[in-house]
Amino acid sequence: MKNKVLVVGASGGIGAALVDQYRSMGNDVIAVSRAPASDFEQTESVTYYQISTQDDKHIGEFVQQLAQQGVVISAVVITTGFLHNEENAIHPEKRLEDINEAALSAYFGTNSITPALWLKHLVNIVSKEGSTLVCLSARVGSISDNGLGGWYGYRASKAALNMFVKTASVEYKRRVKNTMLVCYHPGTVDTGLSKPFQKNVAAKKLFTPEFTAKQLITHLSQLDREQVCHFIDWNGEVVTW
């Protein structure tokens, strides 16, 4: 029986690369996206699902649907993330006066709440034989590593995500043996999320989604599973909480 891998955010650059990488490794992939499933090619090993509204109700119904099908998940990567939105004039804050209630709601909704809801429901269908759950985080979400300030909403929402994952790892360990949770900083990846901020990034530090997917999967295979929660970067180095 092939391993079942769930990729949330499969229409994004990193998500799409992860789907391809896991598929090429012989896994069956369940790919979730806000985009219509008809936009993607359904194959024998990759099945796309659309969840246009990733709230508690819709995520819960989707996971329950998988449970009724007898699906057991061995690996999950939640790639959802939000940094800016030109249409709604949401940009990382440079000073306190830039803090905006609507922007904060957007940051926390996508970066913190949505992954937490996935963790809430997935505990019921992950493999008890050994499963790994990953949330894409960011180094700027490290409280101890914050020496520059700014980016209030993004920093705080990623810090909240880290706490959700760390706290969930305690309960997962109790309820699902041999489970490991990971917060992963992918570095600056050449996707729409980082596009406005790439000009100050050295060429060798601007990663392709394909490189990012391979790095993530490689580092996951090397982590100490006795430690139930990790926060690491694209190079496999520990990021301080």
Side-chain angles (χ1 to χ4, degrees):
M1 179 178 175
K2 291 182 179 180
N3 294 325
K4 294 281 188 181
V5 176
L6 172 64
V7 177
V8 179
S11 60
I14 296 175
L18 282 164
V19 170
D20 287 341
Q21 182 67 17
Y22 275 118
R23 176 193 53 76
S24 69
M25 295 169 61
N27 297 284
D28 283 334
V29 182
I30 299 171
V32 174
S33 171
R34 293 182 186 273
S38 58
D39 288 357
F40 306 94
E41 181 184 356
Q42 307 281 349
T43 68
E44 183 178 345
S45 58
V46 181
T47 306
Y48 284 90
Y49 295 88
Q50 179 189 21
I51 306 183
S52 56
T53 304
Q54 293 193 26
D55 58 15
D56 198 16
K57 176 178 181 292
H58 290 89
I59 294 171
E61 289 176 347
F62 174 73
V63 173
Q64 181 61 29
Q65 175 187 342
L66 294 182
Q68 291 171 350
Q69 296 172 1
V71 171
V72 178
I73 303 293
S74 61
V76 178
V77 186
I78 301 171
T79 72
T80 54
F82 171 74
L83 178 57
H84 61 91
N85 184 308
E86 299 303 320
E87 182 178 343
N88 296 320
I90 298 176
H91 308 96
E93 309 90 343
K94 295 182 179 180
R95 57 178 187 163
L96 282 165
E97 286 80 1
D98 295 335
I99 293 176
N100 174 277
E101 184 177 357
L104 289 178
S105 295
Y107 281 125
F108 277 88
T110 300
N111 295 337
S112 312
I113 297 173
T114 295
L117 293 174
W118 278 104
L119 293 176
K120 166 187 173 179
H121 292 286
L122 287 171
V123 71
N124 297 308
I125 63 168
V126 293
S127 172
K128 293 179 172 57
E129 302 302 317
S131 53
T132 302
L133 296 91
V134 183
C135 290
L136 291 193
S137 185
R139 189 183 302 277
V140 296
S142 166
I143 293 175
S144 59
D145 193 59
N146 184 358
L148 296 177
W151 290 36
Y152 287 90
Y154 189 71
R155 284 184 184 275
S157 62
K158 288 297 189 179
L161 168 64
N162 294 343
M163 182 58 82
F164 273 126
V165 175
K166 185 71 167 68
T167 305
S169 72
V170 177
E171 185 167 348
Y172 265 80
K173 180 181 180 180
R174 185 171 69 247
R175 296 174 60 178
V176 187
K177 304 299 182 185
N178 198 24
T179 301
M180 180 176 69
L181 276 67
V182 180
C183 294
Y184 188 76
H185 168 61
T188 304
V189 185
D190 190 11
T191 64
L193 183 142
S194 69
K195 193 68 70 177
F197 312 98
Q198 294 179 5
K199 62 182 179 180
N200 295 322
V201 179
K204 64 180 180 180
K205 287 296 182 70
L206 180 61
F207 306 132
T208 66
E210 293 72 24
F211 172 82
T212 301
K214 290 178 181 179
Q215 287 292 102
L216 170 56
I217 293 171
T218 296
H219 293 314
L220 290 179
S221 68
Q222 298 171 348
L223 289 176
D224 178 8
R225 299 193 62 86
E226 294 300 313
Q227 180 179 330
V228 296
C229 192
H230 298 262
F231 186 10
I232 62 170
D233 68 7
W234 62 273
N235 203 31
E237 300 295 330
V238 172
V239 182
T240 58
W241 298 97

